[in-house]
Amino acid sequence: EPEVTQTPSHQVTQMGQEVILRCVPISNHLYFYWYRQILGQKVEFLVSFYNNEISEKSEIFDDQFSVERPDGSNFTLKIRSTKLEDSAMYFCASSISGGFYEQYFGPGTRLTVT
Amino acid sequence: AQSVTQPDIHITVSEGASLELRCNYSYGATPYLFWYVQSPGQGLQLLLKYFSGDTLVQGIKGFEAEFKRSQSSFNLRKPSVHWSDAAEYFCAVVPLNSNSGYALNFGKGTSLLVTP
């Protein structure tokens, strides 16, 4: 069964450093998403991406964040200058369409900022 | 304010017992409704979803959910819980007036512990 994959599974970085989290969505999916889950808290939406542009973003997704689909398979989340509060599990998801269609989640990347 | 509420943070049930996890939402129009499960160290997996039609929805792993418009609820049920059902359960919605981004808005989750 097709699945969303994410690399790395765990990333440790120092405050102020740039990190890139990588995702490979399911191949025929058209909508891509990033969510995060701070330890002990709920899953929060960051951004959705469709047709090579951001279709929606949350208040969390400020200028420090960016997303890119550099080729036909990868979908990346970049954090330019990490803060301690960026420590979280980051989930990538994809769906074949929007609305009622299932979003398939990857296993997540645990980001630890020291 | 638009919100998704899961009143129970933790629930403990005995193996073989029935289960009900509560979810209430506060939106102007009934949103798309979902239940996801997160096993330890895993991503989120969709159990079931609802938008319209029969208010009792069947999902995977023997789960079902009932939509009650009058109560703005979408409770998850299972007649007989297995030890492997121990996990975190999230209710989530996509508002109908989503800004075309179809962002899932999650509840805080309910942690299910299954005892022998």
Side-chain angles (χ1 to χ4, degrees):
Chain A
E1 182 177 326
E3 59 183 18
V4 176
T5 59
Q6 291 185 242
T7 54
S9 57
H10 191 189
Q11 172 102 41
V12 181
T13 189
Q14 289 190 324
M15 196 167 50
Q17 295 297 304
E18 174 184 288
V19 295
I20 297 176
L21 310 183
R22 291 183 167 79
C23 167
V24 179
I26 295 173
S27 62
N28 63 338
H29 285 189
L30 301 177
Y31 288 77
F32 313 109
Y33 313 83
W34 283 102
Y35 294 84
R36 79 173 186 189
Q37 185 180 28
I38 295 171
L39 190 64
Q41 298 187 23
K42 72 172 191 174
V43 179
E44 301 172 291
F45 168 76
L46 293 177
V47 66
S48 57
F49 192 85
Y50 169 72
N51 200 26
N52 280 322
E53 62 182 21
I54 291 174
S55 47
E56 186 177 356
K57 61 182 180 179
S58 71
E59 292 177 354
I60 302 167
F61 195 87
D62 61 22
D63 292 342
Q64 294 297 314
F65 292 88
S66 62
V67 289
E68 193 178 30
R69 188 157 163 81
D71 51 43
S73 59
N74 291 283
F75 180 51
T76 62
L77 174 69
K78 181 192 290 186
I79 309 175
R80 287 188 182 81
S81 179
T82 50
K83 309 182 189 75
L84 293 176
E85 53 265 37
D86 293 327
S87 294
M89 181 74 87
Y90 288 80
F91 293 105
C92 174
S94 68
S95 63
I96 197 163
S97 186
F100 193 53
Y101 288 85
E102 177 178 356
Q103 294 183 26
Y104 291 79
F105 283 77
T109 292
R110 178 162 298 285
L111 176 65
T112 301
V113 182
T114 62
Chain B
Q2 298 180 328
S3 64
V4 181
T5 302
Q6 293 181 246
D8 304 305
I9 298 173
H10 299 283
I11 282 188
T12 300
V13 298
S14 300
E15 191 168 15
S18 64
L19 170 70
E20 182 169 27
L21 303 182
R22 296 181 290 165
C23 174
N24 293 93
Y25 60 89
S26 176
Y27 283 80
T30 301
Y32 300 114
L33 297 160
F34 304 83
W35 274 99
Y36 278 85
V37 61
Q38 183 182 29
S39 299
Q42 304 292 315
L44 294 99
Q45 182 182 24
L46 181 70
L47 289 174
L48 44 74
K49 59 183 180 179
Y50 175 81
F51 174 58
S52 65
D54 191 344
T55 57
L56 187 61
V57 183
Q58 301 299 317
I60 63 170
K61 304 186 181 192
F63 285 92
E64 65 181 25
E66 185 172 15
F67 168 68
K68 292 186 178 180
R69 184 186 304 276
S70 61
Q71 298 177 18
S72 296
S73 70
F74 187 53
N75 293 348
L76 183 71
R77 301 196 294 240
K78 187 168 185 179
S80 177
V81 168
H82 188 261
W83 64 266
S84 60
D85 293 324
E88 189 87 13
Y89 291 81
F90 293 95
C91 181
V93 309
V94 171
L96 289 186
N97 62 350
S98 168
N99 296 327
S100 303
Y102 306 112
L104 280 164
N105 182 15
F106 285 86
K108 291 186 177 181
T110 298
S111 179
L112 174 65
L113 177 66
V114 180
T115 59

